[in-house]
């Protein structure tokens, strides 16, 4: 971790807008199958690059896009290829990203499509408004970089949201060596959050992935954020079969306590996952789940029977507001639910996959899990 911070400082962080956020480089890039490389000229550091997954051949050979940051002077492509041989790479410099969708007038109402160059300032401004931090470089949306997903949403011609994703190696529990999508960052302007824009962006991403033969989309999410859980599980029919405590080494307005994360997996070609491509997401009642074991009462852990048919984890109301209002209580919630997720959530036999949000008569919400198994990826209905 310290090495990344040192490398980024040599590239002018935090004031170099061409750099990706260091928390992404530390946490998500390696999980995608990417890596950081350094290039030398003699005994001097001459360049730093990020290897992004690009393609996977039928024989399993992996190739990459090298996002190259040079120090002091340009490196020859021959030198770069020689340094990284035998790994197949396509060299990309941030200044290369200049091609976007041709400028056209968007239709009235909600529209989802490819970004135009004129959208880039609004994308960066929306990112800052949501996360209060330096945005991802907008050249990542370009045809030259070739992201896994580059989408914007407009309402009556005004930018209302965006979605950026990368290609990744593996992801699906039944297909660890397939090319997939890492859906990295999405933002929706609060002014337009009653238009279903997040759902539309994610569905557009899934339909595009399926058209390209990609069957898995992954992303990370704070497991205690109810709006995200309702979107991911009840509307998109994605699932969470992995959990990471302290996934991001970051603290900001949305992460005042440990930034733990679910690894969300959406398999839109599966019988379960394709339900998320159309409207009709349900919010089941806790009382309709026979034998469900409720694992916590607020931040207090509850005893559970062996092998229950369902598990339920209570969610705190207003998680972001709770962090701001009562940090000690928020920390207690995080510690308790982290312990539950670490013990119960997983793909392997005896573990549970989170797949829905349910409510009780008092209006409390619960994450619902069922035993892991082939129902996750089966494609027959």
């Amino acid at each position: 971790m310290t090495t990344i911070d040192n490398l980024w400082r040599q590239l002018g962080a935090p004031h170099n807008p061409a750099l990706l956020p260091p928390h992404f480089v530390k946490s998500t890039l390696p999980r995608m199958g990417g890596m950081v490389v350094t290039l030398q000229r003699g005994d001097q550091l001459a360049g730093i690059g990020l290897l992004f997954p690009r393609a996977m051949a039928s024989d399993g050979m992996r190739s990459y896009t090298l996002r190259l940051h040079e120090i002091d002077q340009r490196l020859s492509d021959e030198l770069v290829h020689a340094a990284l041989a035998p790994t197949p790479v396509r060299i990309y410099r941030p200044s290369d990203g200049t091609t976007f969708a041709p400028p056209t007038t968007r239709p009235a109402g909600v529209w989802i499509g490819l970004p135009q160059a004129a959208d880039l300032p609004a994308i960066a401004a929306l990112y800052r408004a949501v996360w209060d931090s330096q945005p991802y470089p907008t050249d990542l949306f370009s045809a030259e970089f070739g992201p896994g997903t580059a989408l914007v949403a407009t309402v009556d011609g005004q930018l209302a949201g965006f979605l950026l994703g990368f290609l990744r190696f593996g992801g699906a529990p039944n297909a660890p060596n397939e090319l997939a999508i890492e859906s990295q960052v999405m933002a929706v302007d609060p002014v337009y959050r009653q238009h279903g824009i997040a759902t539309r962006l994610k569905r557009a991403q899934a339909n595009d992935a399926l058209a390209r033969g990609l069957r898995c989309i992954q992303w990370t999410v704070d497991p205690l954020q109810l709006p995200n859980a309702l979107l991911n599980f009840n509307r998109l029919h994605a699932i969470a079969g992995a959990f990471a405590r302290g996934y991001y080494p970051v603290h900001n307005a949305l992460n005042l306590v440990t930034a733990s994360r679910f690894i969300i997996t959406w398999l839109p070609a599966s019988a379960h996952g394709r339900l998320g491509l159309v409207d009709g997401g349900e919010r089941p009642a806790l009382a309709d789940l026979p034998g469900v074991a409720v694992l916590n009462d607020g931040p207090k852990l509850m005893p559970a029977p062996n092998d229950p048919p369902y598990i339920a984890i209570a969610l705190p109301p207003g998680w972001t507001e709770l962090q701001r209002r009562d940090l000690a209580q928020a920390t207690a919630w995080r510690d308790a639910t982290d312990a539950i997720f670490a013990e119960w959530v997983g793909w392997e036999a005896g573990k549970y996959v989170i797949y829905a949000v349910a409510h009780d008569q008092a209006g409390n919400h619960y994450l619902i899990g069922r035993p892991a198994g082939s129902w996750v990826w089966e494609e027959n209905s």
Side-chain angles (χ1 to χ4, degrees):
M1 298 303 182
T2 303
T3 299
I4 298 298
D5 291 335
N6 287 338
L7 291 175
W8 251 227
R9 278 193 291 271
Q10 294 187 66
L11 292 174
H15 306 295
N16 183 349
L19 298 177
L20 277 89
H23 67 264
F24 165 83
V25 180
K26 296 174 184 178
S27 302
T28 303
L29 183 67
R31 190 174 61 80
M32 292 164 41
M35 63 192 83
V36 179
V37 296
T38 57
L39 300 169
Q40 302 286 131
R41 182 184 284 111
D43 60 355
Q44 297 295 314
L45 180 68
I48 300 168
L50 302 183
L51 285 175
F52 282 84
R54 179 175 178 83
M56 185 180 295
S58 57
D59 63 359
M61 173 66 76
R62 296 180 172 189
S63 60
Y64 299 83
T65 295
L66 173 69
R67 182 181 175 86
L68 179 59
H69 299 274
E70 291 146 322
I71 298 174
D72 294 333
Q73 58 183 293
R74 185 181 179 94
L75 299 171
S76 71
D77 289 0
E78 292 77 14
L79 184 152
V80 173
H81 284 297
L84 297 178
T87 303
V89 299
R90 184 183 70 86
I91 300 171
Y92 170 83
R93 297 170 174 87
S95 59
D96 293 343
T98 59
T99 304
F100 301 89
T104 57
T105 300
R106 276 73 178 261
V110 178
W111 178 88
I112 307 290
L114 299 176
Q116 302 173 11
D119 295 320
L120 302 184
I123 288 172
L126 179 57
Y127 186 95
R128 290 190 184 94
V130 172
W131 283 284
D132 192 27
S133 60
Q134 181 172 312
Y136 282 67
T138 50
D139 70 274
L140 295 171
F141 288 84
S142 69
E144 286 80 3
F145 176 76
T149 300
L151 292 169
V152 295
T154 62
V155 177
D156 297 331
Q158 299 298 310
L159 186 98
F162 69 86
L163 176 58
L164 174 68
F166 305 113
L167 295 170
R168 61 164 294 138
F169 297 130
N174 64 321
N177 295 317
E178 287 189 4
L179 197 65
I181 297 286
E182 180 73 23
S183 188
Q184 178 57 26
V185 59
M186 179 173 67
V188 176
D189 190 323
V191 172
Y192 300 109
R193 285 185 181 167
Q194 302 306 313
H195 290 74
I197 287 173
T199 301
R200 296 183 191 213
L201 282 167
K202 286 288 191 181
R203 286 175 178 168
Q205 179 182 53
N207 283 315
D208 177 70
L210 290 172
R212 296 158 60 191
L214 307 178
R215 302 186 299 165
C216 175
I217 305 170
Q218 280 200 340
W219 61 93
T220 60
V221 67
D222 188 329
L224 302 187
Q225 289 285 6
L226 176 61
N228 289 342
L230 291 170
L231 168 66
N232 296 331
F233 302 125
N234 291 22
R235 286 197 286 278
L236 300 180
H237 289 259
I239 51 183
F243 165 75
R245 175 176 171 81
Y247 178 80
Y248 279 135
V250 64
H251 287 275
N252 55 32
L254 299 178
N255 299 281
L256 297 178
V257 298
T258 303
S260 299
R261 293 293 185 264
F262 274 156
I263 312 301
I264 301 292
T265 300
W266 189 14
L267 305 175
S270 71
H272 179 78
R274 68 171 173 258
L275 296 174
L277 294 174
V278 296
D279 290 334
E282 60 184 28
R283 191 180 303 186
L286 195 65
D288 294 335
L289 300 171
V292 62
V294 178
L295 302 182
N296 63 312
D297 179 8
K300 177 184 176 183
L301 302 184
M302 302 291 288
N306 293 327
D307 304 319
Y310 302 96
I311 59 170
I313 302 97
L315 290 173
W319 172 234
T320 299
E321 292 74 19
L322 176 62
Q323 293 180 73
R324 296 168 180 165
R325 184 180 69 252
D326 190 336
L327 191 58
Q329 183 75 351
T331 300
W333 268 96
R334 179 67 95 197
D335 290 344
T337 53
D338 276 2
I340 292 170
F341 301 140
E343 177 180 356
W344 289 86
V345 173
W347 296 119
E348 61 269 31
K351 296 284 190 174
Y352 289 71
V353 170
I354 305 298
Y355 75 99
V357 178
H359 65 279
D360 62 17
Q361 290 184 334
N364 301 306
H365 289 88
Y366 301 80
L367 296 171
I368 305 300
R370 58 182 286 197
S374 61
W375 65 270
V376 167
W377 58 80
E378 288 172 343
E379 296 188 4
N380 296 324
S381 57

